[in-house]
């Protein structure tokens, strides 16, 4: 059925086939209309009269099929000439005779279509080409660096849209301006564009917006200010109930604004009860009032855009009730409340004493746990496995009459044991002491590997190793793990690096990296034999982090990663970070 907008009545039915599959309609004159259905496009009489004779059909309630191909857009030029964009090309029709229009000898399909006052067709193809068409010829074509879903012609200006962006193209100078949500355009997807008396109407998925189609870089359009939310103690409340009780005196009023070409550079100006005007930017669009006295309040706010154009003033009235201390029952409540407070304070004091005892007990427990952790760290570093290997190596040098090497090895071993014992007396040691101990340890291990262990220790020059401290026995267990579980079973070149650098002003990162067989392969090997020594496990790492963080302000964190090259394991990296 067709609807007559002048008589405000439904006038006539479409053919049954058209009504069943109807998509769109374009009126050519008062009687004839182009009907687009799913699968075809045809001309049909809008009344019970016959089609115009020129259509060549005199049947009662007639229609004439133009093409049996779906269409996406069509537009009327005159009563007898029109354009239809089918799925296989763009066609020009004159009294039903069609002609395929080509661009550079190739057919095209439109993504947006419009006609100007001179009858020129402006079309954007699916390949982002803007075509200027008159009658059945493409006059010019221009490439656009973006897709277009809607196009409108307004004199010498074309408005194009894509998602939430509007482009304005002056076809006289081919100057292209872009406008988006930062300019005040709807931030949601633009479904369609319309133009009405120098007003551009944007239809979004949930909103509609009107802006002047002649707007320029100077924003002369007054912005609009809105009061969005009222919060009481940072909790949103109903705007219909603005009578507050006594004590409800912390009120926040949030506001917003919108205007074309705003760039978001609003200045909000507000005041309370004829007081001095204050201002805030669009980055903090709210006014907060605390400790307000009882009374009636009038809040006023307006907004100024970046070009100095002001909005109308928005008003908000609210009231805070007076205190109820003059009521007779208040004294009784006060007495009962005082008794409850005294009872509560006494009970609270007893609870605090009990809590202090619990805290002190917990503190002693943490000290014991820290002590146990330190002992465990000493044992993990001075493990029998390392000592056994070191003494065997010394014995081998003695038996092979390499007395000087054995003497040096023994001296290093004794020096390392002394350093470990000295360090065990402290919770923290200077970084230089840790590095010296690690150097001796790696030197001893390298001797056991017949010099095949390539190791390096690098420290950022910005770190003062003589003043900055490190938790005791923090790095050695991870280096020992790298050697024992990563490098010991590796064939070929064995590499181990320790890099210490400053990542923040008061934070250090220690990176221990080896090119060993990785954790997964090492775990598989360990399952096939009886371990003579427990490694520095994940559980031990977590305990170490917890105890150091609870007993100091080091903010210690440890992360272990497997390294890989082209999908195969190529070593392990341990990253240790702590504050200095």
């Amino acid at each position: 059925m067709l609807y007559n907008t002048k008589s405000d009545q439904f006038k006539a039915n479409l053919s049954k086939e058209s009504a069943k599959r109807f998509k769109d309609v374009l009126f050519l004159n008062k009687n004839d209309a182009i009907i687009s259905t799913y699968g075809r496009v045809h001309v049909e009489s809008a009344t019970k009269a016959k089609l115009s004779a020129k259509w060549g059909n005199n049947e009662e309630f007639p229609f004439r099929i133009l093409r049996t191909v779906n269409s996406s857009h069509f537009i009327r030029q005159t009563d007898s000439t029109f354009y239809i964009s089918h799925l296989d090309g763009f066609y020009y029709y004159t009294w039903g005779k069609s002609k395929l229009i080509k661009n550079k000898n190739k057919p095209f399909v439109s993504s947006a279509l419009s006609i100007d006052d001179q009858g020129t067709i402006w079309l954007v193809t699916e390949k982002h080409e803007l075509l200027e068409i008159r009658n059945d010829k493409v006059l010019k074509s221009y490439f656009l660096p973006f897709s277009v879903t809607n196009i409108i012609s307004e004199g010498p200006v074309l408005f194009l849209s894509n998602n939430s962006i509007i482009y304005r193209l002056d076809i006289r100078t081919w100057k292209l301006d872009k406008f988006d949500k930062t300019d005040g355009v709807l931030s949601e997807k633009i479904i369609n564009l319309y133009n009405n008396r120098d007003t551009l109407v944007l239809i979004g998925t949930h909103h509609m917006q009107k802006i002047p189609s002649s707007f320029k870089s100077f924003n002369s359009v007054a912005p609009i200010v809105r009061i969005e939310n009222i919060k009481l103690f940072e909790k949103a409340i109903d705007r219909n109930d603005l009578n507050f009780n006594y004590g409800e005196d912390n009120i926040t009023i949030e506001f917003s604004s919108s205007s074309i070409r705003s760039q978001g550079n609003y200045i909000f100006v507000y005041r309370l009860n004829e007081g001095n005007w204050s201002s805030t930017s669009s980055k903090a669009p709210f006014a907060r009032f605390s400790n307000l006295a009882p009374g009636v309040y009038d809040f006023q706010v307006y907004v100024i855009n970046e070009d100095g154009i002001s909005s109308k003033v928005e008003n908000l009235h609210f009231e805070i009730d007076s205190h109820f201390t003059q009521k007779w029952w208040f004294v009784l409540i006060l007495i009962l409340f005082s008794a409850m407070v005294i009872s509560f304070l006494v009970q609270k004091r007893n609870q605090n004493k009990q809590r202090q005892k619990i805290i002190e007990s917990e503190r002693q427990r943490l000290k014991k746990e820290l002590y146990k952790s330190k002992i465990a760290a000493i044992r993990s570093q001075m493990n029998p496995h390392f000592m056994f290997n070191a003494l065997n190596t010394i014995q081998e040098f003695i038996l092979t009459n390499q007395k000087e090497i054995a003497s040096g090895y023994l001296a290093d071993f004794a020096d390392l044991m002394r350093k470990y014992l000295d360090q065990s007396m402290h919770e923290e040691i200077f970084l230089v002491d840790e590095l010296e101990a690690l150097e001796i340890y790696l030197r001893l291990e390298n001797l056991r590997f017949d010099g095949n262990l390539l190791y390096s220790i690098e420290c950022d020059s910005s770190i003062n190793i003589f003043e900055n401290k490190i938790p005791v026995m923090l790095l050695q267990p991870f280096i020992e793990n790298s050697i024992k579980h990563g490098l010991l079973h590796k064939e070929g070149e064995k590499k181990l690096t320790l890099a210490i650098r400053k990542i923040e002003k008061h934070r250090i990162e220690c990176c221990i990296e080896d090119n060993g067989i990785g954790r997964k392969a090492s775990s598989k090997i360990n399952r096939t034999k009886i371990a003579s020594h427990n490694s520095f496990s994940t559980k031990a790492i977590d305990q170490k982090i917890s105890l150091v963080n609870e007993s100091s302000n080091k903010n210690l964190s440890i992360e272990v990663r497997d390294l890989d090259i082209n999908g195969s394991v190529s070593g392990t990296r341990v990253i240790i970070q702590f504050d200095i």
Side-chain angles (χ1 to χ4, degrees):
M1 180 173 286
L2 300 177
Y3 180 74
N4 190 316
T5 57
K6 292 184 178 180
S7 63
D8 195 24
Q9 293 178 349
F10 290 96
K11 191 171 184 181
N13 288 323
L14 296 172
S15 62
K16 292 182 179 180
E17 186 67 18
S18 298
K20 184 189 302 182
R21 309 170 71 188
F22 177 79
K23 284 177 58 179
D24 205 352
V25 60
L26 173 66
F27 283 93
L28 299 175
N29 49 57
K30 65 179 182 179
N31 291 325
D32 303 331
I34 300 174
I35 306 297
S36 173
T37 65
Y38 291 94
R40 76 182 188 191
V41 181
H42 63 269
V43 180
E44 185 170 321
S45 175
T47 67
K48 290 186 178 180
K50 298 177 181 179
L51 276 176
S52 300
K54 290 185 178 182
W55 290 107
N57 194 325
N58 294 316
E59 298 177 5
E60 185 179 357
F61 206 82
F63 60 85
R64 177 178 175 181
I65 297 176
L66 299 178
R67 296 196 73 214
T68 57
V69 180
N70 280 341
S71 66
S72 57
H73 302 89
F74 45 60
I75 196 166
R76 172 182 176 272
Q77 188 175 43
T78 66
D79 289 353
S80 60
T81 59
F82 50 90
Y83 299 83
I84 299 179
S85 179
H86 294 283
L87 296 184
D88 60 350
F90 189 68
Y91 286 80
Y92 172 69
Y93 288 86
T94 303
W95 289 112
K97 297 179 181 179
S98 65
K99 178 181 180 181
L100 176 63
I101 301 177
K102 295 184 178 181
N103 179 35
K104 301 174 184 177
N105 294 324
K106 293 183 179 180
F108 54 86
V109 179
S110 70
S111 63
L113 185 65
S114 182
I115 186 170
D116 62 18
D117 296 336
Q118 284 72 41
T120 300
I121 300 296
W122 294 96
L123 179 147
V124 179
T125 71
E126 293 181 339
K127 295 184 178 180
H128 305 177
E129 282 188 291
L130 175 64
L131 304 182
E132 182 181 354
I133 302 173
R134 185 176 293 274
N135 294 329
D136 58 353
K137 292 181 175 59
V138 176
L139 304 181
K140 296 179 181 178
S141 66
Y142 312 89
F143 178 75
L144 299 175
F146 49 85
S147 61
V148 175
T149 55
N150 297 286
I151 181 173
I152 286 182
S153 173
E154 177 63 23
V157 175
L158 296 178
F159 289 95
L160 309 100
S161 72
N162 176 9
N163 292 329
S164 58
I165 302 175
I166 296 178
Y167 300 91
R168 183 171 62 184
L169 177 63
D170 192 326
I171 59 178
R172 297 167 299 186
T173 61
W174 295 102
K175 178 183 178 183
L176 184 67
D177 296 316
K178 174 184 174 182
F179 307 97
D180 55 22
K181 62 182 179 180
T182 62
D183 303 303
V185 178
L186 281 175
S187 59
E188 60 189 49
K189 182 179 180 180
I190 299 174
I191 304 300
N192 216 330
L193 292 178
Y194 297 97
N195 193 67
N196 183 24
R197 299 179 182 177
D198 195 37
T199 298
L200 198 61
V201 181
L202 283 63
I203 307 298
T205 53
H206 299 94
H207 300 86
M208 181 181 74
Q209 183 181 25
K210 293 182 179 180
I211 59 175
S213 57
S214 60
F215 61 85
K216 300 179 180 179
S217 59
F218 177 82
N219 186 1
S220 61
V221 179
I224 300 173
V225 66
R226 295 180 295 272
I227 295 178
E228 297 289 352
N229 295 304
I230 296 94
K231 293 184 176 180
L232 178 62
F233 295 108
E234 299 303 317
K235 184 178 180 180
I237 62 172
D238 188 355
R239 286 192 59 180
N240 296 324
D241 185 14
L242 297 181
N243 291 322
F244 303 110
N245 296 323
Y246 180 83
E248 296 179 339
D249 54 4
N250 192 312
I251 298 172
T252 301
I253 303 173
E254 298 178 346
F255 29 78
S256 66
S257 181
S258 61
S259 173
I260 191 68
R261 296 294 293 159
S262 69
Q263 300 292 342
N265 297 324
Y266 300 123
I267 297 297
F268 294 96
V269 184
Y270 63 89
R271 68 177 178 179
L272 191 64
N273 278 3
E274 302 296 329
N276 295 327
W277 290 98
S278 301
S279 63
T280 183
S281 69
S282 56
K283 295 181 179 179
F286 61 86
R288 182 175 289 115
F289 305 99
S290 59
N291 300 322
L292 291 175
V296 177
Y297 290 92
D298 182 19
F299 175 78
Q300 295 177 303
V301 61
Y302 65 93
V303 64
I304 305 173
N305 68 13
E306 71 278 9
D307 292 315
I309 306 300
S310 301
S311 71
K312 294 181 180 180
V313 176
E314 181 77 3
N315 293 276
L316 178 71
H317 302 277
F318 62 92
E319 182 178 352
I320 300 178
D321 290 340
S322 59
H323 201 259
F324 52 84
T325 54
Q326 302 301 320
K327 303 295 183 178
W328 66 266
W329 43 265
F330 176 75
V331 177
L332 178 61
I333 294 177
L334 184 60
I335 293 173
L336 295 175
F337 179 75
S338 299
M340 292 174 60
V341 168
I342 294 173
S343 176
F344 173 77
L345 291 176
V346 172
Q347 184 180 4
K348 194 71 174 177
R349 182 180 178 184
N350 294 334
Q351 290 178 350
N352 287 337
K353 289 182 178 180
Q354 186 66 24
R355 188 180 297 110
Q356 289 298 325
K357 291 181 180 179
I358 295 174
I359 293 174
E360 183 62 27
S361 175
E362 182 67 13
R363 185 181 292 112
Q364 294 299 325
R365 186 189 67 80
L366 290 175
K367 286 184 178 180
K368 291 180 181 179
E369 291 292 331
L370 181 60
Y371 175 77
K372 293 178 181 179
S373 176
K374 289 169 62 176
I375 296 301
I378 295 171
R379 291 175 179 172
S380 70
Q381 295 182 43
M382 297 178 60
N383 64 82
H385 179 79
F386 169 72
M387 296 176 67
F388 178 81
N389 288 338
L391 293 175
N392 274 349
T393 303
I394 295 172
Q395 183 184 33
E396 182 180 349
F397 288 140
I398 293 174
L399 293 175
T400 57
N401 204 26
Q402 302 182 59
K403 296 180 180 180
E404 291 183 1
I405 298 177
S407 177
Y409 196 105
L410 186 59
D412 283 344
F413 180 78
D415 191 22
L416 183 62
M417 295 301 102
R418 179 184 57 79
K419 286 182 178 293
Y420 284 166
L421 291 174
D422 288 343
Q423 291 174 6
S424 67
M425 304 300 294
H426 307 281
E427 294 183 2
E428 295 180 350
I429 60 173
F430 289 107
L431 185 57
V432 63
D433 295 328
E434 179 75 357
L435 295 181
E436 288 177 356
L438 290 176
E439 177 66 32
I440 297 173
Y441 174 78
L442 289 171
R443 193 161 60 242
L444 293 173
E445 290 285 25
N446 187 31
L447 193 59
R448 185 164 65 91
F449 279 90
D450 297 328
N452 291 325
L453 175 62
L454 303 179
Y455 66 89
S456 65
I457 300 178
E458 300 176 357
C459 185
D460 193 342
S461 59
S462 62
I463 301 175
N464 191 331
I465 62 176
F466 298 94
E467 293 182 359
N468 293 313
K469 290 188 174 183
I470 186 173
V472 66
M473 299 178 184
L474 177 62
L475 302 180
Q476 193 273 346
F478 295 99
I479 291 180
E480 181 182 333
N481 273 356
S482 292
I483 293 174
K484 179 182 177 183
H485 301 290
L487 299 175
L488 181 62
H489 306 291
K490 176 179 173 58
E491 298 293 335
E493 187 178 59
K494 301 175 176 61
K495 291 184 179 180
L496 176 67
T497 61
L498 168 61
I500 304 175
R501 66 187 184 95
K502 185 179 289 187
I503 56 175
E504 294 178 6
K505 185 176 181 181
H506 298 291
R507 192 161 178 82
I508 283 180
E509 177 183 274
C510 302
C511 181
I512 302 169
E513 187 172 314
D514 65 72
N515 68 338
I517 62 174
R519 291 181 294 172
K520 185 176 180 180
S522 176
S523 177
K524 185 176 181 180
I525 292 174
N526 289 336
R527 285 196 299 267
T528 64
K529 62 181 182 178
I530 300 176
S532 61
H533 165 62
N534 292 328
S535 66
F536 204 61
S537 64
T538 302
K539 182 178 180 181
I541 293 174
D542 293 339
Q543 290 177 346
K544 183 76 173 180
I545 295 174
S546 177
L547 289 171
V548 171
N549 288 336
E550 287 180 5
S551 61
S552 69
N553 59 352
K554 289 297 183 181
N555 192 18
L556 175 67
S557 67
I558 299 175
E559 180 183 3
V560 182
R561 305 175 184 170
D562 282 328
L563 303 176
D564 67 277
I565 298 177
N566 298 326
S568 62
V569 177
S570 62
T572 306
R573 177 183 297 155
V574 180
I575 300 175
I576 306 171
Q577 296 181 356
F578 57 91
D579 294 337
I580 57 174

